[in-house]
Amino acid sequence: MSFGMRMEPAQHQEQVQTQEISQRMIQAMELLQLPIQKFEERIEEEYISNPLLEREENEDSSEKELGEEGPEKNTPEDSNDFEDSSVDYLSDESGNAAKNEKEDLEYQEAVIDNSDTEFADPDDRIINYKDSDSVHRNREEDTEHYLDYMNNIPSRGQTLQEHLIEQLYWFDIPEKIRTYAEEIIHNLDRRGYLTLSKEEREEYKTRGSDRKGGLGPELEKLFGNNLSGEEISDIEAALRSVQSLDPKGVGARTLEECLLLQISPNDPDQEKLILLIKKYLKELVGNHLPSISRQTGLSIEEIQFLLKKIKKLNEDPGDLFDSRPNSVIRPDIVVEKDDAGNWQIQIDEGNAGSLYLNKKYIKELKNSAASPEDKNYIKEKINSALWVLEMIKQRKTTLHNVAYEIAEHQKDFFEKGPEAIRPLILKQIADKIKVNPSTVSRACSEKWMQTPFGNFPLKYFFTGAISAANDQEDAVAQNAALLKLKEIIDREDRSNPLSDDELVNEMQKEGIALSRRTITKYRKIMDIPNSRLRKEW
């Protein structure tokens, strides 16, 4: 007897639970993630496009004192926790988000569904509402305010190229050389160098082009290698013209050339400086001063004196200029003490805090025989306006809650400074305000907090923990360990700097347990060289 399996098509039902993210929820997450400047731009777009949104002249700021006991929460023992005034729109309970607007919604839907009324005037249709003089006058005035705001944003600084071209026209040089010089200027990198990529340099070496064209690889890349003697002469003259411009050092092809261009011919140590830069630059970088002394006959003291002069030269002359717009940090959150000595948290809502739903025009529709198209238009704008207002409120609430819990956890930071920062992870804040850690991450993205010790990105306050040397002590925040390490290195004897192994012992004395590998990692993070390079002869 044999058994076989029958293979026949069949249908069956299966219940699967899935979670769908609506378009508005995605937009809500995007709004939460935006810093204040971009948030204002987004809200301005919504305001201009929706005539049912209006602005109050005065904005009310919201404050909450740290440690202030709010209404009772699910965990009454946490008396310092924020009272979440509205459900987070990214949580599972987002269906309750518009609860506070329930009465308004019911009224507005009743108005829109009322089709038995008539307009007092046949011409008084909804199109006139949209185009009414008063609405447009308000919109024009607010648009002017917005344009004034945009005009007051710091303009970008002059670029390096603009600065050099401007100087170039001060000189009376042949037009052909000027054209070559402009081409060179427009090909300088951000640092002010005329450079090649690694691949381009390798290709140049393979072709041996410098022997054919007489120009270096950087100039040959711009002008080719099939050049006449006159053309080569003009290009070299153009490069010299560029290199004579301010700031000194621009147009260089190597670090060595950049430094040499900055040495004044009137410097009494010109020849010695040129010697050190041309022949011993690597040894200077490696702090091999005794070796340089043996080879040049210069004393250690004299080399140190010359080295101080070299260090004053600018390795990146183009950095004095910026091709990007000037940026000014605008904190999203301000934490400061009031006159009574209590800590206060303020959220910058920008142009969003004064928005409200204009019910005046909605009420006018109550006795209007609006067409279905008009009703749909109004309903769409009402829903859009209510959503915008709710998202503004929810964003503020989430930011406020996150900032408050950060400030509660990092109280010592606000009293003593960055060295007192404590370990903190996103999940700790998320658990406190009962949201997903991803919500906290979005709330902290690109946000800044103003504190008594300066402006800090919100993510600065989230730092990993480092084991304390004494198991009885609390763990130390990574940022605090970095500051302590820098403090130890700053006070070391530079004639006998501490090795990484010795730094391990010094950190141990401060109650911070770090491995040698971690010490090396932290030094590199802070751009601190090793003990050999820190040594002063």
Side-chain angles (χ1 to χ4, degrees):
M1 181 181 289
S2 63
F3 295 91
M5 181 179 293
R6 296 180 62 185
M7 302 294 291
E8 295 180 357
Q11 294 181 343
H12 69 279
Q13 290 183 339
E14 182 180 358
Q15 188 174 6
V16 180
Q17 185 176 2
T18 61
Q19 182 177 3
E20 294 185 5
I21 300 179
S22 67
Q23 182 63 29
R24 284 201 165 179
M25 186 173 287
I26 294 173
Q27 291 173 334
M29 291 188 289
E30 291 174 350
L31 278 179
L32 178 62
Q33 194 162 346
L34 293 176
I36 182 60
Q37 293 94 332
K38 294 180 181 178
F39 177 66
E40 280 192 323
E41 292 174 7
R42 174 65 184 278
I43 294 302
E44 189 68 24
E45 291 174 4
E46 295 285 346
Y47 170 67
I48 291 175
S49 65
N50 194 332
L52 270 73
L53 286 173
E54 293 293 344
R55 277 204 180 115
E56 296 176 354
E57 292 185 2
N58 298 322
E59 298 183 19
D60 296 328
S61 61
S62 176
E63 297 181 351
K64 184 178 181 71
E65 181 180 331
L66 289 182
E68 179 184 346
E69 186 172 350
E72 185 177 352
K73 296 183 68 175
N74 293 334
T75 54
E77 65 273 15
D78 297 332
S79 60
N80 284 337
D81 285 351
F82 244 152
E83 171 60 23
D84 195 353
S85 60
S86 55
V87 180
D88 193 286
Y89 53 86
L90 300 180
S91 71
D92 294 335
E93 303 175 56
S94 59
N96 297 324
K99 188 175 181 180
N100 293 336
E101 306 292 342
K102 183 178 179 181
E103 294 181 1
D104 285 339
L105 275 170
E106 291 175 350
Y107 167 74
Q108 290 146 10
E109 289 174 358
V111 170
I112 293 174
D113 291 338
N114 183 359
S115 59
D116 297 327
T117 56
E118 298 180 356
F119 284 106
D121 187 323
D123 293 331
D124 233 295
R125 299 191 58 79
I126 192 62
I127 189 67
N128 294 331
Y129 158 67
K130 289 186 287 184
D131 295 335
S132 66
D133 292 340
S134 60
V135 170
H136 275 270
R137 185 167 57 253
N138 292 337
R139 279 292 177 271
E140 289 169 2
E141 291 173 358
D142 285 304
T143 302
E144 288 177 5
H145 291 317
Y146 179 65
L147 292 174
D148 288 341
Y149 161 75
M150 295 299 292
N151 288 334
N152 284 322
I153 294 177
S155 60
R156 70 171 178 84
Q158 188 181 39
T159 66
L160 174 66
Q161 280 73 18
E162 290 169 347
H163 180 68
L164 296 176
I165 292 292
E166 184 179 279
Q167 292 179 72
L168 194 62
Y169 280 87
W170 296 349
F171 300 96
D172 184 17
I173 55 178
E175 189 61 32
K176 184 181 293 186
I177 294 178
R178 186 187 304 279
T179 301
Y180 287 142
E182 289 181 358
E183 183 69 16
I184 292 171
I185 288 172
H186 286 300
N187 281 277
L188 298 179
D189 66 13
R190 179 187 59 80
R191 301 165 61 211
Y193 283 73
L194 190 61
T195 59
L196 291 177
S197 66
K198 184 178 179 180
E199 293 76 15
E200 289 171 332
R201 195 170 294 279
E202 289 299 325
E203 180 185 355
Y204 179 84
K205 288 180 180 179
T206 302
R207 291 189 289 108
S209 301
D210 57 339
R211 290 185 295 275
K212 295 179 181 179
L215 291 172
E218 295 83 5
L219 292 175
E220 184 182 303
K221 173 189 173 182
L222 297 181
F223 305 108
N225 62 353
N226 188 21
L227 302 168
S228 66
E230 182 182 356
E231 287 173 322
I232 292 174
S233 178
D234 287 343
I235 292 171
E236 290 175 339
L239 179 62
R240 288 194 298 272
S241 296
V242 172
Q243 292 178 341
S244 69
L245 302 176
D246 175 77
K248 294 296 183 184
V250 294
R253 291 156 287 187
T254 63
L255 173 61
E256 175 187 315
E257 185 177 22
C258 178
L259 299 177
L260 291 172
L261 287 170
Q262 297 176 61
I263 297 176
S264 170
N266 299 322
D267 192 316
D269 297 309
Q270 180 191 20
E271 291 183 4
K272 295 176 183 177
L273 289 169
I274 291 175
L275 172 67
L276 291 181
I277 292 172
K278 278 190 172 181
K279 293 190 176 181
Y280 301 102
L281 192 57
K282 289 184 178 179
E283 286 84 352
L284 287 172
V285 172
N287 203 26
H288 300 299
L289 303 193
S291 174
I292 298 173
S293 178
R294 289 193 298 270
Q295 296 179 63
T296 62
L298 298 172
S299 66
I300 295 290
E301 292 75 15
E302 193 171 5
I303 295 174
Q304 288 176 327
F305 172 76
L306 295 170
L307 182 57
K308 287 181 180 178
K309 284 191 171 185
I310 293 174
K311 285 182 176 180
K312 291 180 180 179
L313 303 178
N314 192 350
E315 296 180 14
D316 302 310
D319 279 353
L320 296 171
F321 298 84
D322 194 348
S323 58
R324 298 163 297 179
N326 296 329
S327 59
V328 178
I329 293 176
R330 178 178 170 185
D332 303 78
I333 302 161
V334 177
V335 179
E336 59 185 358
K337 279 186 176 180
D338 60 19
D339 294 338
N342 299 314
W343 289 104
Q344 303 290 338
I345 293 177
Q346 299 179 15
I347 306 297
D348 184 357
E349 296 181 90
N351 59 6
S354 62
L355 285 184
Y356 68 94
L357 184 66
N358 190 334
K359 300 178 183 178
K360 172 184 175 182
Y361 298 101
I362 299 175
K363 291 178 181 178
E364 290 179 0
L365 293 176
K366 189 173 182 180
N367 298 318
S368 302
S371 68
E373 292 80 9
D374 295 338
K375 290 180 182 180
N376 288 336
Y377 175 84
I378 287 294
K379 188 171 184 178
E380 176 187 340
K381 292 303 179 182
I382 288 175
N383 290 336
S384 177
L386 288 175
W387 178 82
V388 169
L389 294 174
E390 182 62 26
M391 291 307 99
I392 290 171
K393 182 180 70 174
Q394 296 289 1
R395 180 183 184 274
K396 178 182 178 181
T397 298
T398 304
L399 282 180
H400 209 169
N401 289 355
V402 169
Y404 176 73
E405 294 299 343
I406 289 175
E408 277 290 317
H409 186 88
Q410 303 288 10
K411 276 184 176 179
D412 288 344
F413 169 92
F414 292 96
E415 294 287 352
K416 302 174 184 177
E419 67 276 2
I421 196 168
R422 296 173 55 201
L424 179 63
I425 60 174
L426 294 172
K427 189 175 185 302
Q428 289 175 261
I429 300 298
D431 290 344
K432 283 281 189 180
I433 63 176
K434 296 178 173 54
V435 297
N436 192 285
S438 63
T439 300
V440 179
S441 178
R442 290 187 183 94
C444 295
S445 177
E446 298 185 70
K447 311 292 192 311
W448 287 77
M449 177 183 283
Q450 179 181 313
T451 77
F453 300 95
N455 292 327
F456 293 85
L458 274 187
K459 289 192 174 180
Y460 172 86
F461 298 97
F462 296 89
T463 176
I466 297 171
S467 300
N470 185 342
D471 292 338
Q472 302 301 318
E473 297 180 8
D474 292 333
V476 180
Q478 185 183 61
N479 290 350
L482 287 167
L483 291 172
K484 181 57 66 177
L485 177 61
K486 185 177 185 304
E487 179 185 325
I488 291 172
I489 293 176
D490 285 345
R491 67 172 185 249
E492 71 183 355
D493 179 6
R494 288 303 171 86
S495 63
N496 186 28
L498 298 169
S499 66
D500 286 352
D501 287 325
E502 291 170 325
L503 287 172
V504 169
N505 296 331
E506 291 298 318
M507 292 292 283
Q508 189 87 8
K509 294 176 184 177
E510 298 290 343
I512 303 174
L514 294 176
S515 66
R516 183 182 182 280
R517 179 178 297 178
T518 303
I519 291 288
T520 304
K521 173 186 172 182
Y522 284 3
R523 273 199 303 98
K524 291 180 178 179
I525 288 175
M526 296 185 287
D527 200 23
I528 296 176
N530 60 34
S531 57
R532 180 173 59 80
L533 296 179
R534 298 200 308 271
K535 182 178 178 62
E536 293 182 357
W537 300 92

